[in-house]
Amino acid sequence: MDLPFALCLVSLLIGAAALIAPVAGRSWASVALYGLCLGVSSLLLVIGLWSLVAMGGGAEAPLLWLPLGIPGQGVHFRLDGLSAFFLIVINLAASAASLFAIGSGRHEHAPHRVLPFYPVFLAGMNLVVLANDVYGFLFSWEVMSVASWFLVIAHHRQPENRRAGYVYLIMAALSTQMLLVTFGLLSGFGAHLDFDAIRATPPSLDIARLALLAVVIGTGAKAGLVPLHVWLPLAHPAAPSHVSGLMSGIMTKVAIYGLVRVTFDLLGPPEWTWGAGILLLGGTTAVTGVLYALMQHDLKRLLAYHTVENIGIIAIGLGLALAFRANGFQMGAALALTAALFHVLNHSLFKTLLFLSAGAVLTATGERDLDRLGGLIRGMPITAFCFLVGSAAISALPPLNGFVSEWLALQAILISPELPQWILKFLVPMVGAGLALSAALAAACFVKAFGAAFLGRARTAAAERAVEVERSSLAAMLILVAACVLAGVLPGLVVDALAPVTTLLVGSHLPNQITQPWLTLVATTPERSSYNGLILMVFIALSASLSAFGVHRLASRRRRRAGAWDCGYPETSPATQYTAASFAQPIRRVFASVLFSAREKIDMPAPGDSRAARLTLTIRDPVWALLYRPVAVAVTTAAEIISSALSLSIRQHLGLVYGTLILLLVVLALWQ
Amino acid sequence: MLGQSFPFDMAHMLAGGMVTVSFMLLFQDRLIALIWFLALHALALALALAWQAHRQAADDLYVAAALALVVKAILIPMGLRWLVRHLQIERTVEAVVGVGMAMLFGIGLVALSVMVMLPAATHSPLMWEDLSFALAVVMLGLLIMITRRNAMAQIIGLLSVDNGVTLAVVGIRGMPLVIDLGVACLLVAAMVVFAIYFKHIHQRFDSVDVHVLDRFRGEES
Amino acid sequence: MIQSLLAQGFQMMLVLAVAPLVIGIIRKVKARLSRRIGPSIFQPYRDLIRLARKDTVVAHNASWLFLVAPYIVFAAIWVAAALVPTYALGLIFSWSADIIVIVGLLALARFFLALAGLDVGTAFGGIGTSREMMISSLAEPAMLMIVFTLSLLAQSTQLSSIAHYMMTADVGLRVSCGLALLGLVMVTIAENGRVPVDNPATHLELTMVHEAMILEYSGRHLALIELAAALKLTLYLSMLTCVFLPWGIALNGAKLPVLGLGVLIYLIKITVASAVLAAFEVTVAKMRVFRVVDFLNFALMLGLLATLLLFVSRSI
C-alpha cells in the first residue's frame, strides 16, 4: 500500500515540475510549487515513519514492478528498513527546506531557472532510495545529479558559479561511471540486474574487491570523501540557499545510502581490509575537512567543508561496522552502524538548519563573507537562536543530538580492542584521536562562525540594517531546532527505530531502548555505559534556574548599561574587532603550517612612511596541487596531442590507419 | 592491590618511564633542558637496572646500575654542561621537522617496535613488552639525532640510544657484565674525543651547527 | 529513593561549598611558599559575596547571550561537578552520564563562555576566545584519549565503575595508568588556566586567556563565572583523586558513618591536591602561548600512546 502511494507522490512532483516550467515567472508560482513540495515531502515522511515502525513490528518489505524503463526488464522498487529510514531523512529536511523556500522564494530573481528543477531533484533523491534494481538506481541517481547541476548554475552570471558547475559536472560524471562499473561487476556484467537476484548470487572475492573500490570512489565522489571532495565547497555555496541545504544535508546522505546498500547488502561477506580502508578514509576526511573549514571566511563554504568532515565521521562508523562484521562481532557491528546512521539523521537536521540560517543571513544582508557581517543578533534574533542551536549541535555538545551520535561512535571505538587484526589495533585508536580532534576543532570553528557573523558590532552598513526574514522561513528553522533537541533528549526512540535497519544489514541490533529505566540510552550493557539526555537536560535546566533564583534573591538586582570596558581604551571602530581570519590564526599556526603550507607575510612600512601595513596570508590546497592539477595537466596535454592528429595530411592519416592495421595483425599473430 | 605481577609491572613501568623521557627529549628545544632530561633518562635506566638486579638476584647488575648512575646520570651531563658554558654554545636547538610531526612519528615508532617484537610474545609476553620498549627507546633516540641540527643535541640522542641498548641487553637473564662495562668505557673515551672536536669546531666556525660544515665543504650554495 | 536523592543533593552542595575553599588554599600555599603571609583561605567566599552585592554594568551593545551565558556556564559546570564521585560511588544520577558526558558538559560551558567573550566586540575578547579555542582544540582530544585509556582498563565509561575498578581489582602498576595520570595532570593544568599555561593572577594582555574572555563581566555575573571556574578546578581535582587515589570513597549502599568518613577523606584529599598544585605552580614559570601547544601535544601523545598500548596488549 505505501510503496505505490509513495511512487504516486513522486510522479506528482515530476508532473508539477513539468507544469510549472511555463508559468515560473508568475508571482504565485513560487509559493504554489514550494507548498506542493512541502505537502508531498510531509506525506513521504509519514510513509517512511509508518513503514519503519511496521518493519520494527516484523512486517515484510513491499515490492513493486513497473513496466517502465528498459523494454522487457521493467523497473523494480522496494521499501525495506534502510529505504524507509533514508526516506525519513530525505523528506524531513526536504519539508523544512520547502517551507523555508515558501518565504525566501520571492527574493529569487531567476525563478524559471530554479522552480522546474527543484521538484525533479526531490523526486530523484526519493527514487534512489526506493529503487530495487540497477536501472532504477542509476537512472534516479543521474536525475538527481543533473537536476542539482541545473540548480547549481541557476545564478550563472557569476564566474565562480560557472566554475562550480563545471567541476561539479566532472565529478558527477566520475561518480556515475564508477557506479556503472560497480553494478556491472555485481550484476555479472548484466546477467541479473535485479537487486534481489544480486543478493542471491554474491560475487567472488576478487570481483567483490574491485566492486568495493569502484563503489567507494563512486559514492565517495558524491558524498565528499577526501580527495574527491573538491566540488563540494564550490557547488554548495553556488546554489540557492534552500538547495544548498538539501545538497549538503541530504544529497550526500543519498550517496551514503548507495555505499551502505552496496557494501552491506549486495557485496556479500566483507573482509576486514575493507573496513580498515573505509575507516582510514573516514578519519582522514574528518580531520582534513575541519582543517579546511577553519581557513574559510565565507559562511557557506565553511558549512560545506563541515559537511566533508561529518561525512568522514559517518565513514568512520561504517568502516568500523564492516570490520566488526568481517570478524563476526555482530553486536559491535550493530553499535557502529547505529552510530553512523544516527549521525546521518543528525547531520541532515543540523546541516540543513545551518544552511537555511545562512540563507536567511544572505537574504537579509546580501553578504556571505564573515568579515562583512557582525552584530546580527540584534536585528535577527530568531535566526541567531537557530544558528546557535545548530552550531551547538554540530559541535557535539550535550544535551543536543550531535553529542549522542558522537557518544555512540566513541562507545563503538571502546569495544574494538576485541578485533584481532594488528593493523586495526593500531588504526582504530588513531582514528579515535582524529575523531576527538575533529570534534574539538569543529567547536572552535563554529565559535568563530557564530561570533563573527552574529556577535560583536556590525562591520558594514548592510549588517547594521539587517532585519528578520519571512515567517515561514523562521518556522522552518524552528522546526529543525525542535527536531535537533528532540533527537538529543529522546535518542532511545531513534535507536529503536534503527533496530530493524541494523537487523537487516548486520543481523543484530542494540538492546531495546524503550524498556530502559527513565528512557536511558544504553549502548551495550547498562553497567558498561549509559546516557540519559532527558535527565541531563532537566538537571541542567534545574541547576540554571536554581542558580538564577539564588542569585536574584541573594545578590543585587541592579543592572545598568555603559560603554564597553575594554581595559579602559576608548570606543574604537568595529574594524578593530577580531575577524574570522584573526580568530583562526592560533589554530592555523598550530595545525595548518604543515598541511596547507600556511604562511603569513607582514609588510611593514619604514618609520616615517605613512602607507598602510599589509598582511598576506598564503594557503596552498594540497589536494588541488598534488592530485587535480597534475591530472588536469595530463588530460590537457593528451587532448592537445590528439587534437593535433586532426590536422594531419592525407598521407599521414593513411599512415596512421596502416600502423593500426599492422599492430592488430601482430597481436593476432602473437595470440596464436 | 599491587598484585601478583608486581615485579614485572615495576620493570615495565620503569621501561615505560624511559620511553616517556625519550618523548620529552624529542620536543625539547633548549639545550640545558635537553641535558637535564638526559640525566633523567640515565637515572631511569639506573633504576631499571637496579630493579632487574633485585629481580634476577644478580649482583653484578647492581654494579652496572651504579655505573649508569654515576657515569651516565651525573658525570656525562655535568661534562656536557661544562662544554656548553665553556664554549658558549647557542642554547636553543633548532629542529628540522615540527614538534607535532616528530611526536606523531614517535608514536608510529613505538607501534612499530611493538609489532616487530611480536615473535618474542609467543615465548614470554613479559619479555616482549620489555624488548619492545627498549627498541622504542633506541628508535626514538635515533629520531632525536636525525631531527636536530645542533651537534650537541645529536650527541645526546646517541647517548639515549646507548641507554636503550643497555636496557634491552639487561632484560635478558645472564648477560655478562663485561660487555656493559666495555661499552661504558667506550662511551667515556668517545666523550673525550667529542669534547676535543667540539672545541676545535667551535673555535674555527663559532658555531656547532652542522650546516656550517656543509658550507665549508662547498656542498651548499 | 529519597535517601539517594538526598545523597546526590548533598554532593552538589558539597562541591559548591568546597570550590572557593580550593582556590583559597591554593593562594595561601603559593603565598607561604613565596615567603608572604597571603590572604585567608576563606577570602574567596568574601570576594564572591562582595561581587554579588555590586551593580552589574553591561556594555551598550551586549546581547541576551551575554546576560544568559553566566547561568548556562555555571549550570553546565555544576552538573558536571555533581557527576564526579567525591565521597560516595554510585549516586542516583551517576548512571545518566558517564565520563564522556562530563567532557561534553565542560565543552558546552567553554562554548558559551567563548561566545560571551566575542559578544561585546572588543579586541580583548577576541584574543581570549581564540587562544582558549586553540588550547581546547588540543586539550579536549588529550582528555578523550585519557578517557579511552581509563575506560579500556575498567571496561566501562562510568566514573563510578572506573573508581571501583581502581580500588578493588588487581590493577597493579601499569604503564598506561602512569601515562594516563601524567596526561590528566597536564590536561588539568591546561584546562583550568593554571601556571604554566595561563596565569590566573595577572590581567596583562600577554598572559590573558580566561581573564580576557570575561573582561566585560561585573557584579553577580562575574561572581557566577568565578564560582564556575573554581568548580571546574574542583571537578578536575576530584576526578584525579577518585580515579588514582580511590581508597576511602564509600561504596554503593553504605551506611551513614561510612558516608561521613567518605566526606572527611574527600576533604583531606582535596586539600592535599590543592597544596601540591600550588607547590607546582610556584616552581615553574609560565610558558609562551605557542609553547603551550607543545605541552598539550605531549599530553595528547601520552594519551594516544597509553590507548595504543592497551589496544595492543591488555596487560601493559
Side-chain angles (χ1 to χ4, degrees):
Chain A
M1 180 56 220
D2 10 343
L3 189 53
F5 190 40
L7 289 171
C8 288
L9 289 170
V10 169
S11 35
L12 194 62
L13 281 176
I14 300 180
L19 286 174
I20 205 80
V23 296
R26 305 282 177 83
S27 55
W28 51 265
S30 158
V31 176
L33 182 75
Y34 288 125
L36 177 72
C37 290
L38 173 66
V40 168
S41 302
S42 317
L43 285 171
L44 282 167
L45 174 66
V46 169
I47 291 177
L49 278 168
W50 183 264
S51 309
L52 200 57
V53 169
M55 225 77 65
E60 277 293 309
L63 294 169
L64 188 64
W65 180 87
L66 286 179
L68 303 169
I70 303 178
Q73 291 271 13
V75 61
H76 301 251
F77 293 104
R78 184 167 176 238
L79 183 58
D80 64 3
L82 189 61
S83 306
F85 176 70
F86 274 90
L87 215 58
I88 297 174
V89 166
I90 292 174
N91 290 294
L92 190 51
S95 322
S98 307
L99 182 59
F100 181 87
I102 289 180
S104 80
R106 73 175 69 119
H107 298 284
E108 181 63 59
H109 55 85
H112 53 283
R113 297 179 72 94
V114 174
L115 287 181
F117 302 106
Y118 182 79
V120 177
F121 180 46
L122 291 181
M125 287 195 285
N126 282 304
L127 281 175
V128 171
V129 304
L130 289 174
N132 198 31
D133 65 358
V134 174
Y135 171 74
F137 189 95
L138 282 177
F139 184 73
S140 324
W141 186 275
E142 271 304 89
V143 165
M144 175 180 84
S145 297
V146 172
S148 54
W149 181 75
F150 276 111
L151 290 167
V152 163
I153 59 163
H155 303 143
H156 64 117
R157 301 251 179 248
Q158 288 144 337
E160 68 253 16
N161 290 355
R162 291 199 293 273
R163 178 162 182 257
Y166 176 62
V167 175
Y168 181 36
L169 202 58
I170 295 179
M171 297 306 287
L174 173 71
S175 149
T176 313
Q177 287 293 331
M178 283 297 151
L179 281 177
L180 268 170
V181 170
T182 312
F183 284 117
L185 288 169
L186 281 178
S187 65
F189 302 104
H192 31 264
L193 289 176
D194 190 1
F195 278 2
D196 288 325
I198 295 179
R199 275 185 209 111
T201 57
S204 71
L205 203 55
D206 290 323
I207 303 257
R209 284 182 191 146
L210 277 174
L212 178 83
L213 190 62
V215 79
V216 165
I217 296 179
T219 52
K222 201 59 154 191
L225 291 174
V226 165
L228 301 164
H229 66 285
V230 286
W231 62 273
L232 248 152
L234 293 172
H236 286 190
S241 310
H242 55 289
V243 175
S244 312
L246 288 183
M247 285 176 75
S248 240
I250 55 184
M251 195 172 75
T252 47
K253 306 303 171 301
V254 171
I256 295 286
Y257 164 81
L259 185 63
V260 172
R261 176 65 79 188
V262 171
T263 50
F264 281 90
D265 204 15
L266 300 176
L267 266 181
E271 291 185 309
W272 69 268
T273 45
W274 302 355
I278 295 184
L279 192 63
L280 182 63
L281 207 55
T284 324
T285 307
V287 175
T288 323
V290 77
L291 285 177
Y292 273 119
L294 275 165
M295 309 293 125
Q296 303 302 319
H297 55 87
D298 178 326
L299 191 53
K300 282 200 180 177
R301 277 178 94 124
L302 188 144
L303 292 174
Y305 274 117
H306 271 286
T307 305
V308 172
E309 175 216 344
N310 280 290
I311 293 291
I313 295 177
I314 296 173
I316 289 177
L318 291 177
L320 212 51
L322 266 180
F324 274 122
R325 192 168 167 223
N327 283 299
F329 297 132
Q330 284 186 327
M331 271 307 280
L335 180 58
L337 191 61
T338 309
L341 291 177
F342 204 137
H343 201 75
V344 163
L345 176 67
N346 286 343
H347 184 242
S348 72
L349 288 176
F350 49 65
K351 190 42 64 73
T352 313
L353 172 62
L354 286 168
F355 261 106
L356 293 183
S357 316
V361 166
L362 183 60
T363 312
T365 60
E367 296 283 356
R368 250 163 49 187
D369 192 341
L370 285 173
D371 295 337
R372 299 179 66 80
L373 294 171
L376 291 175
I377 196 171
R378 270 169 283 288
M380 306 172 69
I382 304 183
T383 311
F385 175 70
C386 297
F387 198 93
L388 181 64
V389 173
S391 311
I394 200 172
S395 312
L397 300 178
L400 294 173
N401 56 353
F403 179 74
V404 180
S405 51
E406 162 138 347
W407 188 85
L408 285 171
L410 290 174
Q411 294 293 342
I413 290 180
L414 283 171
I415 60 174
S416 25
E418 295 170 0
L419 293 168
Q421 288 88 9
W422 275 89
I423 294 189
L424 283 175
K425 281 192 195 285
F426 288 120
L427 192 56
V428 174
M430 298 291 221
V431 167
L435 186 62
L437 189 64
S438 75
L441 284 172
C445 196
F446 273 95
V447 165
K448 172 184 97 166
F450 187 76
F454 290 93
L455 300 176
R457 293 172 284 161
R459 294 181 183 85
T460 53
E464 188 95 46
R465 286 191 304 255
V467 288
E468 201 59 272
V469 288
E470 285 82 9
R471 267 205 288 229
S472 68
S473 311
L474 294 176
M477 293 194 281
L478 286 169
I479 289 175
L480 286 172
V481 165
C484 283
V485 173
L486 273 176
V489 299
L490 298 173
L493 296 177
V494 179
V495 170
D496 273 343
L498 280 171
V501 184
T502 55
T503 317
L504 177 71
L505 295 174
V506 297
S508 163
H509 61 94
L510 293 188
N512 205 340
Q513 306 292 332
I514 297 272
T515 57
Q516 302 293 343
W518 300 75
L519 296 177
T520 311
L521 181 67
V522 166
T524 44
T525 56
E527 297 79 40
R528 200 191 157 95
S529 54
S530 58
Y531 168 67
N532 194 321
L534 188 59
I535 291 196
L536 196 68
M537 178 145 119
V538 167
F539 212 170
I540 295 177
L542 269 176
S543 310
S545 336
L546 200 62
S547 52
F549 176 71
V551 160
H552 280 271
R553 288 302 293 269
L554 304 170
S556 154
R557 292 254 201 110
R558 283 191 297 208
R559 181 176 82 209
R560 54 191 167 91
R561 296 259 174 178
W565 160 233
D566 204 15
C567 269
Y569 286 99
E571 176 99 16
T572 47
S573 103
T576 59
Q577 287 177 99
Y578 258 47
T579 59
S582 41
F583 186 92
Q585 192 258 357
I587 301 183
R588 193 168 57 227
R589 188 169 149 169
V590 172
F591 289 102
S593 51
V594 173
L595 187 60
F596 297 114
S597 322
R599 300 277 176 267
E600 283 174 2
K601 196 170 66 94
I602 300 179
D603 175 28
M604 289 289 285
D609 190 354
S610 61
R611 71 176 169 86
R614 170 150 281 139
L615 170 72
T616 318
L617 175 64
T618 41
I619 300 177
R620 190 187 76 127
D621 186 339
V623 174
W624 275 107
L626 295 174
L627 184 61
Y628 288 92
R629 195 140 298 163
V631 168
V633 163
V635 167
T636 323
T637 320
E640 273 170 27
I641 293 177
I642 295 178
S643 72
S644 71
L646 293 174
S647 51
L648 295 173
S649 70
I650 292 188
R651 195 179 52 82
Q652 282 165 326
H653 263 123
L654 278 175
L656 209 58
V657 173
Y658 190 54
T660 316
L661 189 60
I662 294 181
L663 188 66
L664 285 172
L665 286 174
V666 166
V667 166
L668 199 62
L670 290 175
W671 196 275
Q672 291 162 351
Chain B
M1 184 275 299
L2 288 177
Q4 303 282 54
S5 52
F6 180 63
F8 296 108
D9 286 342
M10 193 62 185
H12 296 156
M13 187 68 104
L14 290 168
M18 280 186 76
V19 173
T20 311
V21 180
S22 288
F23 267 108
M24 286 193 203
L25 278 172
L26 198 56
F27 86 86
Q28 277 305 322
D29 61 354
R30 294 179 304 134
L31 203 52
I32 300 290
L34 215 55
I35 296 175
W36 283 130
F37 277 122
L38 179 70
L40 188 62
H41 203 246
L43 181 65
L45 177 69
L47 285 172
L49 291 178
W51 184 257
Q52 287 287 359
H54 169 79
R55 220 188 82 206
Q56 294 179 12
D59 288 327
D60 48 357
L61 281 181
Y62 279 118
V63 176
L67 209 69
L69 185 66
V70 169
V71 174
K72 295 187 190 177
I74 299 179
L75 286 182
I76 290 185
M78 276 175 60
L80 288 173
R81 272 213 68 183
W82 177 84
L83 262 179
V84 169
R85 220 176 311 139
H86 184 73
L87 293 180
Q88 283 151 4
I89 295 179
E90 177 75 35
R91 301 288 186 98
T92 51
V93 180
E94 245 184 84
V96 176
V97 254
V99 171
M101 296 261 62
M103 290 235 219
L104 211 56
F105 204 65
I107 296 260
L109 285 174
V110 174
L112 187 63
S113 319
V114 170
M115 279 183 74
V116 161
M117 289 299 178
L118 258 184
T122 46
H123 284 282
S124 138
L126 302 161
M127 184 167 293
W128 165 50
E129 287 159 12
D130 271 330
L131 283 176
S132 44
F133 279 142
L135 180 62
V137 171
V138 168
M139 297 301 289
L140 284 170
L142 287 172
L143 185 65
I144 294 168
M145 283 179 74
I146 295 172
T147 58
R148 304 279 164 192
R149 286 184 203 260
N150 189 312
M152 180 75 76
Q154 289 171 349
I155 299 304
I156 291 178
L158 183 63
L159 289 169
S160 70
V161 168
D162 176 66
N163 288 353
V165 169
T166 315
L167 182 67
V169 152
V170 159
I172 303 168
R173 202 178 277 266
M175 203 63 183
L177 181 62
V178 64
I179 294 180
D180 195 42
L181 278 174
V183 173
C185 288
L186 190 68
L187 258 186
V188 173
M191 288 312 297
V192 172
V193 173
F194 281 135
I196 298 173
Y197 263 123
F198 273 148
K199 211 160 148 64
H200 277 255
I201 293 176
H202 192 75
Q203 275 172 351
R204 183 77 170 77
F205 298 108
D206 260 336
S207 141
V208 286
D209 185 341
V210 292
H211 261 56
V212 174
L213 292 173
D214 281 341
R215 237 179 292 141
F216 176 66
R217 281 206 305 268
E219 283 177 7
E220 205 178 279
S221 57
Chain C
M1 176 68 176
I2 298 288
Q3 254 185 321
S4 14
L5 275 174
L6 274 177
Q8 178 72 66
F10 178 69
Q11 165 151 316
M12 289 183 76
M13 290 304 150
L14 178 68
V15 285
L16 198 60
V18 164
L21 190 62
V22 166
I23 300 287
I25 293 175
I26 291 179
R27 282 192 199 151
K28 186 73 168 176
V29 171
K30 275 169 88 164
R32 281 286 177 179
L33 286 174
S34 328
R35 303 194 63 189
R36 292 180 282 124
I37 296 186
S40 135
I41 57 174
F42 299 109
Q43 184 60 33
Y45 293 101
R46 297 193 196 115
D47 286 339
L48 286 171
I49 295 175
R50 177 173 51 92
L51 272 175
R53 290 216 195 106
K54 288 189 183 258
D55 291 359
T56 314
V57 178
V58 173
H60 284 301
N61 59 344
S63 63
W64 60 264
L65 189 68
F66 189 80
L67 299 170
V68 163
Y71 297 100
I72 299 180
V73 168
F74 180 73
I77 296 184
W78 196 16
V79 168
L83 293 167
V84 175
T86 53
Y87 70 97
L89 292 180
L91 291 172
I92 190 169
F93 287 135
S94 62
W95 49 261
S96 68
D98 57 4
I99 197 172
I100 302 179
V101 177
I102 292 175
V103 174
L105 281 170
L106 292 174
L108 178 69
R110 185 175 38 233
F111 188 79
F112 275 95
L113 197 61
L115 286 179
L118 286 176
D119 188 55
V120 179
T122 61
F124 283 104
I127 291 179
T129 310
S130 74
R131 285 180 185 171
E132 173 72 25
M133 296 319 285
M134 173 190 78
I135 291 177
S136 77
S137 70
L138 284 170
E140 203 184 296
M143 183 70 196
L144 276 173
M145 286 291 113
I146 294 165
V147 164
F148 277 8
T149 311
L150 295 173
S151 313
L152 286 171
L153 276 174
Q155 299 290 311
S156 163
T157 50
Q158 299 280 6
L159 257 180
S160 298
S161 312
I162 295 176
H164 189 88
Y165 175 79
M166 298 294 265
M167 203 163 31
T168 56
D170 195 16
V171 178
L173 277 181
R174 300 270 201 102
V175 179
S176 315
C177 268
L179 293 176
L181 174 61
L182 190 57
L184 190 54
V185 166
M186 291 172 85
V187 169
T188 304
I189 293 174
E191 285 271 12
N192 290 289
R194 313 305 301 183
V195 177
V197 171
D198 182 16
N199 194 339
T202 70
H203 294 260
L204 298 173
E205 173 195 316
L206 286 177
T207 63
M208 281 203 281
V209 176
H210 186 254
E211 298 298 319
M213 281 195 291
I214 61 174
L215 197 62
E216 299 294 329
Y217 276 113
S218 57
R220 58 178 189 272
H221 295 152
L222 187 58
L224 270 177
I225 291 184
E226 299 270 337
L227 188 55
L231 262 178
K232 190 167 164 182
L233 182 58
T234 313
L235 186 164
Y236 271 99
L237 291 177
S238 308
M239 208 188 306
L240 268 167
T241 54
C242 102
V243 171
F244 293 105
L245 297 171
W247 309 283
I249 294 190
L251 294 174
N252 247 339
K255 296 279 176 258
L256 207 52
V258 184
L259 289 177
L261 188 64
V263 174
L264 192 61
I265 293 184
Y266 170 69
L267 288 173
I268 294 175
K269 283 191 227 173
I270 287 291
T271 312
V272 168
S274 320
V276 169
L277 178 63
F280 178 70
E281 283 203 294
V282 163
T283 51
V284 294
K286 193 185 112 60
M287 293 189 284
R288 268 178 53 218
V289 172
F290 287 104
R291 282 189 68 86
V292 172
V293 168
D294 294 346
F295 182 78
L296 284 172
N297 250 336
F298 185 60
L300 177 58
M301 292 300 150
L302 279 180
L304 185 56
L305 190 61
T307 310
L308 206 65
L309 289 175
L310 276 177
F311 257 79
V312 159
S313 149
R314 280 313 179 105
S315 64
I316 295 186

